[in-house]
Amino acid sequence: MTSTQAPAPTAADITATRGQDSGGRNLFDDFAPLGNPLRDGLTDKRTPDPCVMVIFGVTGDLTARKLMPALWDLAVGHPLPEGFSIVGVSRRSWTDEEFREEMRAAVVRGARTPVTDEAWKQFSEGLFYVAGDFAAAQTYTDLASRLEAIDTERRTQGNRLFYLATSPTYFPDIIENLGTSGIAERREIYSDPRERWNRVVVEKPFGHDVESARQLIQEMATVFSEQQIYRIDHYLGKETVQNVMAFRFANILFEPVFNRSYVEHIQITAAEAIGVEGRGGYYEDSGALRDMVQSHLLQLLTVVAMEPPAVFRGDEVRDEKVKVLRSVVPPIGPQVDSRAIRGQYGAGYMGGKPVEGYLTERGVRPESQTETFVALKLEIDNWRWANVPFYLRTGKRLPRRVTEIAITFKKVPHLMFRNAVDTAPDSNVITMRIQPDEGIAIRFAAKVPGPTNKLRNVPMDFYYGSTFGETSPDAYERLILDAMLGDPTLFQRRDEVETAWGIVQPVLDGWANGLSPTRQYDSGTWGPAEADAMVREDGFHWRRP
Ligand SMILES: NC(=O)c1ccc[n+]([C@@H]2O[C@H](COP(=O)([O-])OP(=O)(O)OC[C@H]3O[C@@H](n4cnc5c(N)ncnc54)[C@H](OP(=O)(O)O)[C@@H]3O)[C@@H](O)[C@H]2O)c1
């Protein structure tokens, strides 16, 4: 009898049909050497297509301190595409030549790689400047003709990376004008790679609260699709933050104990030793909760608390980050009083020198309640982290600059050495140092040499610098390159931004209603006493990093 059954598919058949769309295009074959050419983003190649980067606000602080040095280091260290060009837009009436001179000075000040005349000449041939107001249509007419000329002369193929290095108040003007002038073209996710691309990078803050964030998201969506928008939080570009994911998900040793069965609590600290440094006017509208917690600290929380993504790639990583943010329980109503402590630095001493308090800084209102310090207790209502408190703390004029994540483990259930030690050893702690002294330390108990069973806590320390022997690239280098490549993994998706605002909004509301009033702390101390009381009530204490 002849069988009518189809032969079982071979592994090759399965591979050949998996992930194909109705037209037979393979949508998920991202591991091919050049990545999947049909999907915007998600490629492994590390040389972007020829393109022009347009920086709005190019005369500003961010461009001089971060963007231009990063672009120079990229140009020297990695092959930027042939013909790569930068067009700067701001009001100042610079010529191309003046622009090039200013940028050279910025690069000399801020870049990792020294500048040589010959290399600079080659790089600066791709620098152009367009003077104009962001709100004026003429600016975009001038920009469009500049871009066309560059495409012809330098073969940049119509590919554009727009970078909004301006105050967010200008975003709507710029976005709208990019749309109406026809410079920006909307593209959806499965664009043909042979078509030209354009993407827009947006600097934080993405809004001032939930409502304004949603509004900004909608305004941008009128011109760009979500796949074209790259919302930058430069913390995610830091090697040490990416290493948190490597530490957790590339080692079998640690991940099995990263959960409520073993972890007692987690502290995330971002301490600065400096004050507002003359930027009181900007800071008055922001404060530590918006400036640091809504963005950087919640990003750190996501990488330490998220579930393992199936693959390190755009939506797979961002899906997991959003999932954990959605599980975060912020302080609600009266809880704000005891779980969202705010402080403001007063006068004090830094490095033995007297310093003034926040209220006497330039641009600060004399009766200001703006917080320069926040200590927050959050819970994560999911299977992995139920009942494990997450304490977040950030502030200015604290004793030292340090950003770290510290995971404190539960004590052993039974200490057989108890009769032989003076004091029981502390819990194991894994500390991930984001900056400075980038690295990871593990604290554990060891037997002190000698005839007794005395124990002592000892550290096992990994230092990035000494292990890899070279300075890490700046976060902006990685992020700019990723945006040029169309890789969105380290950028924030709209739902991530909205969910993060949803976590801080109840705190903003509680504070607006007078809960947890702003407490003064002396410059050079670790914040107000109420922040210590918050963790002490749970039986813990803040680390003194
Ligand atoms: N600075 C940082 O380290 C840093 C870090 C993280 C995020 N950010 C974010 O990055 C963005 C930019 O910050 P920034 O410190 O660079 O700002 P900035 O120093 O104020 O620079 C903005 C530039 O925009 C130009 N500009 C202002 N109004 C304009 C208008 N109507 N038309 C045309 N040009 C105009 C100004 O140039 P002209 O005077 O020449 O017109 C100014 O140099 C902000 O969203 C900020 O929050 C900054």
Side-chain angles (χ1 to χ4, degrees):
M1 206 167 80
T2 27
S3 165
T4 52
Q5 239 181 339
T10 64
D13 292 337
I14 293 169
T15 311
T17 52
R18 193 195 301 146
Q20 286 185 350
D21 70 1
S22 53
R25 297 181 308 174
N26 191 343
L27 300 182
F28 302 104
D29 183 16
D30 297 317
F31 296 104
L34 289 184
N36 173 9
L38 294 176
R39 191 160 180 184
D40 195 25
L42 317 185
T43 75
D44 283 343
K45 68 173 180 170
R46 298 309 286 171
T47 304
D49 301 325
C51 61
V52 184
M53 181 168 171
V54 181
I55 305 178
F56 292 92
V58 81
T59 56
D61 176 67
L62 180 70
T63 305
R65 282 197 315 109
K66 292 291 180 185
L67 302 186
M68 208 46 80
L71 283 161
W72 168 257
D73 284 325
L74 273 178
V76 176
H78 307 258
L80 279 183
E82 221 170 287
F84 173 71
S85 307
I86 301 169
V87 178
V89 184
S90 272
R91 276 172 308 201
R92 237 160 280 187
S93 56
W94 283 346
T95 61
D96 285 348
E97 242 355 278
E98 284 169 321
F99 175 51
R100 291 169 185 173
E101 280 312 305
E102 293 281 343
M103 293 305 107
R104 180 173 181 151
V107 167
V108 168
R109 277 195 307 272
R112 292 187 293 136
T113 340
V115 175
T116 60
D117 285 344
E118 197 181 327
W120 178 259
K121 183 171 177 300
Q122 201 184 349
F123 178 75
S124 66
E125 278 167 3
L127 300 189
F128 305 93
Y129 185 77
V130 170
D133 195 288
F134 297 146
Q138 184 61 42
T139 307
Y140 301 85
T141 311
D142 296 346
L143 176 62
S145 51
R146 238 341 156 72
L147 289 171
E148 261 178 47
I150 293 170
D151 279 344
T152 311
E153 283 161 28
R154 296 178 59 82
R155 304 202 179 142
T156 36
Q157 302 179 6
N159 296 319
R160 318 267 184 253
L161 183 68
F162 304 109
Y163 200 112
L164 307 193
T166 76
S167 148
T169 48
Y170 298 117
F171 292 175
D173 271 344
I174 298 171
I175 297 292
E176 195 189 327
N177 277 299
L178 282 175
T180 50
S181 64
I183 296 176
E185 295 166 352
R186 195 182 176 83
R187 287 270 186 277
E188 299 298 338
I189 189 164
Y190 294 111
S191 57
D192 185 323
R194 285 153 301 198
E195 278 182 70
R196 55 196 187 186
W197 52 260
N198 52 96
R199 308 181 182 119
V200 60
V201 180
V202 201
E203 272 290 342
K204 79 170 192 97
F206 315 113
H208 195 67
D209 51 21
V210 169
E211 269 318 303
S212 57
R214 282 192 186 132
Q215 196 183 330
L216 180 59
I217 284 167
Q218 277 163 9
E219 278 164 1
M220 296 201 66
T222 58
V223 174
F224 293 100
S225 74
E226 179 62 20
Q227 288 69 33
Q228 293 174 288
I229 302 173
Y230 289 69
R231 299 181 190 85
I232 249 188
D233 181 327
H234 73 270
Y235 262 50
L236 276 183
K238 287 177 186 289
E239 292 285 336
T240 39
V241 175
Q242 291 161 48
N243 196 42
V244 175
M245 290 185 263
F247 181 83
R248 288 187 60 198
F249 302 135
N251 296 293
I252 193 67
L253 208 52
F254 309 110
E255 190 50 24
V257 293
F258 263 56
N259 57 54
R260 70 182 191 291
S261 303
Y262 297 97
V263 175
E264 180 188 72
H265 75 280
I266 292 184
Q267 293 186 15
I268 301 177
T269 298
E272 293 176 274
I274 56 171
V276 292
E277 308 297 296
R279 298 184 80 215
Y282 159 80
Y283 203 77
E284 277 290 274
D285 288 335
S286 163
L289 189 68
R290 290 184 172 97
D291 194 40
M292 292 295 293
V293 178
Q294 187 276 338
S295 48
H296 306 323
L297 266 67
L298 286 181
Q299 285 298 320
L300 295 181
L301 178 140
T302 58
V303 292
V304 80
M306 73 184 187
E307 295 301 317
V311 56
F312 187 73
R313 194 168 58 181
D315 281 342
E316 283 82 351
V317 171
R318 298 188 300 176
D319 285 347
E320 295 304 338
K321 289 169 67 194
V322 173
K323 248 167 68 186
V324 79
L325 286 174
R326 288 205 181 116
S327 309
V328 170
V329 186
I332 304 284
Q335 285 178 336
V336 169
D337 233 2
S338 55
R339 296 187 176 195
I341 309 302
R342 53 177 163 159
Q344 188 183 77
Y345 62 80
Y349 287 86
M350 299 295 302
K353 293 199 181 113
V355 287
E356 62 178 338
Y358 179 72
L359 289 179
T360 53
E361 298 266 13
R362 185 153 42 92
V364 172
R365 289 170 287 128
E367 73 293 353
S368 172
Q369 294 294 303
T370 303
E371 78 288 354
T372 61
F373 174 97
V374 183
L376 200 60
K377 174 179 173 180
L378 298 174
E379 282 165 12
I380 299 183
D381 225 356
N382 66 15
W383 192 276
R384 183 189 283 263
W385 294 116
N387 300 320
V388 178
F390 281 67
Y391 301 104
L392 276 51
R393 166 178 66 157
T394 183
K396 291 187 179 293
R397 285 277 175 79
L398 302 185
R400 58 180 295 242
R401 170 177 172 259
V402 57
T403 301
E404 64 163 42
I405 303 171
I407 298 120
T408 301
F409 289 84
K410 293 182 173 173
K411 290 197 160 49
V412 290
H414 168 71
L415 189 66
M416 66 175 183
F417 302 106
R418 66 190 161 201
N419 295 329
V421 291
D422 298 336
T423 53
D426 288 336
S427 310
N428 295 138
V429 180
I430 296 179
T431 313
M432 301 179 180
R433 295 185 302 271
I434 309 298
Q435 63 189 18
D437 304 331
E438 290 82 354
I440 295 174
I442 301 177
R443 184 178 77 185
F444 60 99
K447 182 185 174 304
V448 177
T452 69
N453 279 334
K454 202 168 175 178
L455 301 178
R456 194 199 296 161
N457 294 306
V458 293
M460 195 155 69
D461 232 329
F462 150 70
Y463 283 90
Y464 248 83
S466 54
T467 302
F468 292 109
E470 57 183 70
T471 50
S472 299
D474 187 78
Y476 278 94
E477 286 178 54
R478 170 69 193 256
L479 295 172
I480 292 171
L481 188 63
D482 279 2
M484 281 184 206
L485 290 163
D487 183 345
T489 311
L490 300 176
F491 295 84
Q492 296 187 66
R493 218 166 50 188
R494 59 176 288 173
D495 48 350
E496 205 175 333
V497 171
E498 281 187 67
T499 314
W501 274 114
I503 293 168
V504 300
Q505 190 64 49
V507 176
L508 289 169
D509 294 344
W511 286 355
N513 289 327
L515 292 177
S516 185
T518 305
R519 270 90 177 194
Q520 293 282 310
Y521 60 96
D522 292 345
S523 285
T525 67
W526 282 102
E530 286 76 4
D532 296 327
M534 180 178 87
V535 287
R536 204 169 43 239
E537 211 159 87
D538 293 343
F540 310 129
H541 59 269
W542 287 111
R543 288 169 45 78
R544 291 286 177 257

